[in-house]
Amino acid sequence: MDQKQMLEAIEKMTVLELSELIKAIEEKFGVSAAAPVAVAAAGPAAGPAAAAEEEKTEFDVVLKEVGAEKIKVIKVVRELTGLGLKEAKDLVDGAPGTVKENVPKDEANDMIAKLKEAGATAEAK
């Protein structure tokens, strides 16, 4: 299997299947995919808390209420997150909940606009 075929196979996976694949790779090769993320996340926290609040560049998009158009909201959540149908439905059914974490301000605003257009209530935190 060449790299292109491998990427195509990964692209078709659900979030759960991808998570299981990552765990298997970590166990097989003795590596951790989370280590670089943890180091990157720890870097900005080193500064003063007040400065971090003023310079916040990444936001969590939170679905507060689904509204009357639940199916439209599920479709938008799938589009924004790449989740499978079941995972997106579970996220919407579990509202309030985080749709996506650590996204740039512009992307967060776009996501909120799309969710509101579908009839949901959302905010950036």
Side-chain angles (χ1 to χ4, degrees):
M1 177 181 281
D2 69 3
Q3 188 177 13
K4 184 178 178 183
Q5 291 171 323
M6 198 177 313
L7 288 173
E8 288 173 357
I10 291 171
E11 186 176 53
K12 294 175 185 173
M13 291 180 163
T14 66
V15 174
L16 183 59
E17 291 170 334
L18 187 56
S19 175
E20 290 171 355
L21 175 63
I22 290 170
K23 286 178 188 175
I25 291 171
E26 289 173 342
E27 290 173 12
K28 172 81 174 174
F29 298 105
V31 296
S32 175
V37 174
V39 172
E53 286 298 317
E54 292 175 357
E55 298 174 14
K56 188 169 182 174
T57 59
E58 293 184 339
F59 299 86
D60 295 347
V61 177
V62 178
L63 176 65
K64 294 186 77 166
E65 293 179 20
V66 177
E69 303 278 349
K70 183 177 173 181
I71 294 174
K72 285 184 181 179
V73 175
I74 292 171
K75 287 180 181 180
V76 171
V77 168
R78 287 187 69 198
E79 172 191 335
L80 296 175
T81 62
L83 292 174
L85 180 59
K86 182 179 182 339
E87 292 88 357
K89 182 182 180 302
D90 290 346
L91 192 150
V92 170
D93 287 342
T98 303
V99 175
K100 202 163 187 182
E101 297 179 337
N102 301 323
V103 295
K105 185 177 183 178
D106 293 340
E107 185 179 342
N109 289 335
D110 290 344
M111 292 173 76
I112 291 168
K114 287 180 181 181
L115 288 165
K116 286 183 179 180
E117 189 176 306
T121 305
E123 69 178 12
K125 288 190 174 184

